[in-house]
Amino acid sequence: MIEATDFRDAMSLLTTAVNVVTTKGSSGAHGFTASAVCSVTDTPPTLLVCMNQTSRSHVHFLENKTLSVNVLGAQHEPVSNAFASKLCSEERFQQGSWTDLVTGAPVLEDALVSFDCEIEDIQQVGTHSVFMCRVVAIKRSEQRDGADESLVYFNRAYHQVGQVETV
């Protein structure tokens, strides 16, 4: 049997993009920092997002059935830290500038890309909820100076990767 700590140690060596996942509804705006986000299919455009069920924001995502995945650039480390902290939701959203798209879930204005989604299915797997999310809108960064770098997480630390090429 594989111990949870051994699994977490091994997974720390899987480089992942850093994202802030948000929702908004009658109880306000909420969000969390996530690395467990991936593409499922492009027809229809669908993402998979995993969230710990013990998160204080969890109930809001279940109720709202919408979310936005904001892919962070290298300059967004403070945003990532705020959404991973014990700060209240209002304090978290003081980091960065926010707007919205179709669903009303908060979108970080200068994220590398934001995916606005409707949650179509939720599965409970161990300690986490797995959200299957249909993408209803996409917003790409307007920064086209070639200097955008992605914020990634590897070996329990932030790193910066690549440059977005301009054409």
Side-chain angles (χ1 to χ4, degrees), residues 24-81:
K24 187 174 183 181
S26 59
S27 60
H30 301 276
F32 66 102
T33 299
S35 59
V37 173
C38 69
S39 168
V40 176
T41 181
D42 65 356
T43 310
T46 305
L47 294 178
L48 177 150
V49 177
C50 298
M51 181 181 194
N52 194 314
Q53 295 169 21
T54 63
S55 167
R56 65 180 178 212
S57 298
H58 185 261
V59 67
H60 303 290
F61 283 84
L62 296 178
E63 291 171 0
N64 296 340
K65 295 187 176 31
T66 62
L67 61 78
S68 286
V69 174
N70 299 279
V71 181
L72 302 186
Q75 74 276 21
H76 295 122
E77 193 172 321
V79 176
S80 174
N81 287 332

Side-chain angles (χ1 to χ4, degrees), residues 15 18 74 77 150-161:
T15 304
V18 181
E77 193 172 321
S150 179
L151 184 64
V152 298
Y153 202 67
F154 171 75
N155 203 17
R156 296 185 173 93
Y158 291 114
H159 301 275
Q160 299 171 9
V161 174

Side-chain angles (χ1 to χ4, degrees), residues 3 9 13 20 23 78 81 86 91 102 111 124 151 157:
E3 295 295 323
D9 288 345
L13 301 176
V20 166
T23 191
N81 287 332
K86 302 273 188 213
E91 292 171 310
V102 176
Q124 309 301 320
L151 184 64

